[in-house]
């Protein structure tokens, strides 16, 4: 966007959504000082942590997608102050639902969930620029409601990894440093019902590193994980298993012992030779790649082509695996996964004992 001095409504400075130095600053009528400048810097740092890194990256992609679409049609993605062009956004949502425009992105139409996510991304980006996107406006609300009514489909969920499958997967791993680390990742992620970001963000102790999102205490009866998640702080108890070969706590102890990690990130990179532990924390994408690799190595679902098997499973399959396999009261699974409602937990339960409660018979029919 170019600022036009002849049009005051267009002459505003539009900060980049990640440019916190521009978005958060001292008021123009307040003189700076060492103390105030330090507070501004601290506020900028807090702003960066208001959303997760993955969310910020997704919202940046949403804005880039919208901006490209606007440029192709000769439109300004920001629009005049004090609010964005809601009619333009309604047309954009319509285009996402199915138009020739999408061929440039390799698809004919986007799913309803993707369209909703893109709208959330636009709302966030506009907010960073000082605009308010009113999602209740008829140009957005009625278009989105019509898209949902016409195109909504059941959500596509990743397949859950079942107990016999996770056991087969870990048996494909060697007992070198890399194998010990990856075995611990798989078993801990499954038994804890953890998100992949929660796995790799663990530290050996509290406040070891600035980017830590939790730490681990190994106790007599299991491991206690203290996690700082998107829903707040929570504790996850991971008990010891019935066999050392499949016990997540034993696997973690073995990895920590041979890697000699007692401070900082638990799951770190390993040198190409496989003989040296590095200091840098693993990226959460490693968990997804590890799941897919061991699914193939263990020959899980051999009746399906390799491409279909890779598409079925992801890092989230570990979390869904615990929810689908634990034969306990649902409230314990809900607590372990950190869900606010039982309904959310049920979405993760790919294999439930359906019709265990027969309300038809209970009603006398």
């Amino acid at each position: 966007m170019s600022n036009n001095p002849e049009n005051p409504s267009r002459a505003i400075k539009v900060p980049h959504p990640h440019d916190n130095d521009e978005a958060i600053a001292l008021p123009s009528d307040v003189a700076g000082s060492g103390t105030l400048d330090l507070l501004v810097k601290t506020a900028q740092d807090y702003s960066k942590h208001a959303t997760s890194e993955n969310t910020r990256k997704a919202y940046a992609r949403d804005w880039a997608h919208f901006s490209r679409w606007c440029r192709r049609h000769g439109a300004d993605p920001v629009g005049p102050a004090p609010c964005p062009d809601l009619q333009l956004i309604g047309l954009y949502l319509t285009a996402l639902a199915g138009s020739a425009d999408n061929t440039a992105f390799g698809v004919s139409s986007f799913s309803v969930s993707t369209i909703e996510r893109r709208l959330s991304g636009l709302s966030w980006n506009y907010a960073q620029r000082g605009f308010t996107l009113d999602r209740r406006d008829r140009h957005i609300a009625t278009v989105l409601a019509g898209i949902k009514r016409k195109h909504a489909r059941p959500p596509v969920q990743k397949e859950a990894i079942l107990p016999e499958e996770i056991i087969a997967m870990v048996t494909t791993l060697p007992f070198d440093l890399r194998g010990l680390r990856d075995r611990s990742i798989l078993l801990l992620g499954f038994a804890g019902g953890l998100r992949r970001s929660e796995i790799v963000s663990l530290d050996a102790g509290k406040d070891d590193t600035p980017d830590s999102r939790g730490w681990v205490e190994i106790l007599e009866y299991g491991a206690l994980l203290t996690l700082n998640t998107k829903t707040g702080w929570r504790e996850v108890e991971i008990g010891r298993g019935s066999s050392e070969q499949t016990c997540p706590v034993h696997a973690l102890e073995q990895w920590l012992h041979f890697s000699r990690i007692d401070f900082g990130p638990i799951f770190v990179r390993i040198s190409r030779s496989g003989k040296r532990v590095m200091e840098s924390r693993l990226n959460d994408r490693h968990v997804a790649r590890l799941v897919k690799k061991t699914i193939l190595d263990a020959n899980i679902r051999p009746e399906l082509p390799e491409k279909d098997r890779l598409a079925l499973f992801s890092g989230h399959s570990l979390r869904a695996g615990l929810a689908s396999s634990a034969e306990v009261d649902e409230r314990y699974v809900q607590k372990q996964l950190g869900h606010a409602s039982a309904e959310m937990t049920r979405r993760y339960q790919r294999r439930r004992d359906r019709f265990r409660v027969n309300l038809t018979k209970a009603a006398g029919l």
Side-chain angles (χ1 to χ4, degrees):
M1 173 182 173
S2 61
N3 292 331
N4 182 1
E6 296 180 357
N7 186 345
S9 68
R10 309 289 283 175
I12 61 173
K13 181 175 179 60
V14 181
H16 187 276
H18 307 309
D19 191 355
N20 292 282
D21 291 339
E22 297 287 352
I24 296 180
L26 282 174
S28 58
D29 59 341
V30 176
S33 68
T35 301
L36 289 176
D37 290 343
L38 181 60
L39 287 174
V40 169
K41 189 176 184 305
T42 304
Q44 291 168 359
D45 186 58
Y46 282 142
S47 177
K48 291 177 183 177
H49 290 86
T51 53
S52 71
E53 182 181 358
N54 286 341
T55 299
R56 292 195 299 272
K57 288 179 179 178
Y59 286 169
R61 290 193 296 269
D62 294 339
W63 184 257
H65 187 279
F66 176 59
S67 297
R68 288 197 300 271
W69 181 85
C70 288
R71 285 196 299 270
R72 286 206 311 276
H73 294 280
D76 186 344
V78 177
C83 65
D85 189 335
L86 300 180
Q87 288 179 282
L88 181 67
I89 295 172
L91 293 176
Y92 172 66
L93 299 180
T94 303
L96 292 179
S99 78
D101 286 347
N102 296 330
T103 57
F105 303 102
V107 295
S108 58
S109 63
F110 291 88
S111 68
V112 172
S113 60
T114 299
I115 293 172
E116 289 185 308
R117 212 290 312 284
R118 291 211 186 279
L119 182 58
S120 296
L122 295 186
S123 297
W124 185 88
N125 276 281
Y126 278 121
Q128 306 312 301
R129 291 164 164 81
F131 290 81
T132 299
L133 194 161
D134 184 4
R135 297 179 59 152
R136 296 170 298 179
D137 182 88
R138 62 187 179 86
H139 294 103
I140 295 177
T142 56
V143 168
L144 188 59
I147 290 172
K148 288 181 179 180
R149 188 174 182 86
K150 185 173 181 179
H151 297 290
R153 298 185 298 271
V156 177
Q157 297 178 316
K158 293 298 182 180
E159 196 77 5
I161 293 173
L162 303 180
E164 59 271 18
E165 293 170 340
I166 192 71
I167 292 173
M169 289 162 64
V170 297
T171 56
T172 67
L173 298 170
F175 285 90
D176 57 7
L177 279 175
R178 188 170 281 108
L180 290 173
R181 179 198 66 188
D182 290 347
R183 182 177 286 100
S184 180
I185 287 174
L186 290 176
L187 290 174
L188 206 68
F190 181 88
L194 303 177
R195 301 177 179 90
R196 64 187 195 183
S197 60
E198 293 170 349
I199 298 172
V200 299
S201 65
L202 286 169
D203 275 6
K206 181 181 179 181
D207 300 328
D208 280 358
T209 60
D211 61 338
S212 168
R213 305 294 290 175
W215 65 91
V216 178
E217 298 175 76
I218 298 181
L219 308 172
E220 180 181 357
Y221 295 106
L224 180 64
L225 278 55
T226 304
L227 301 174
N228 184 6
T229 70
K230 61 183 181 181
T231 57
W233 286 96
R234 82 175 196 272
E235 289 186 344
V236 174
E237 299 174 5
I238 301 180
R240 295 186 181 273
S242 55
S243 166
E244 284 191 350
Q245 285 70 37
T246 60
C247 175
V249 183
H250 178 74
L252 178 60
E253 288 174 323
Q254 291 289 98
W255 161 242
L256 293 177
H257 172 74
F258 286 102
S259 65
R260 299 180 180 178
I261 291 176
D262 58 7
F263 181 87
I266 286 179
F267 296 116
V268 295
R269 301 182 185 279
I270 296 173
S271 64
R272 287 191 176 184
S273 66
K275 297 180 180 179
R276 187 164 58 91
V277 173
M278 315 290 280
E279 293 183 358
S280 54
R281 189 187 302 275
L282 279 177
N283 188 287
D284 65 345
R285 289 191 296 270
H286 174 81
V287 180
R289 290 193 294 264
L290 174 61
V291 167
K292 292 178 183 291
K293 179 182 182 301
T294 51
I295 283 287
L296 294 181
D297 292 345
N299 201 27
I300 305 297
R301 313 291 172 88
E303 71 278 5
L304 297 176
E306 180 177 309
K307 181 180 178 181
D308 292 343
R309 283 191 281 167
L310 290 174
L312 274 179
F313 296 94
S314 72
H316 226 59
S317 298
L318 297 172
R319 190 165 162 83
L322 176 78
S324 303
S325 306
E327 299 293 337
V328 296
D329 191 304
E330 191 177 74
R331 58 182 172 168
Y332 295 112
V333 180
Q334 180 183 340
K335 180 178 181 294
Q336 187 84 337
L337 270 59
H339 288 153
S341 67
E343 181 58 36
M344 177 58 73
T345 302
R346 294 186 191 109
R347 295 183 191 179
Y348 282 75
Q349 295 171 327
R350 311 291 195 263
R351 188 186 67 172
R352 297 197 301 270
D353 188 7
R354 290 183 170 87
F355 304 110
R356 178 169 55 87
V357 176
N358 189 326
L359 292 180
T360 307
K361 290 182 178 178
L365 299 181

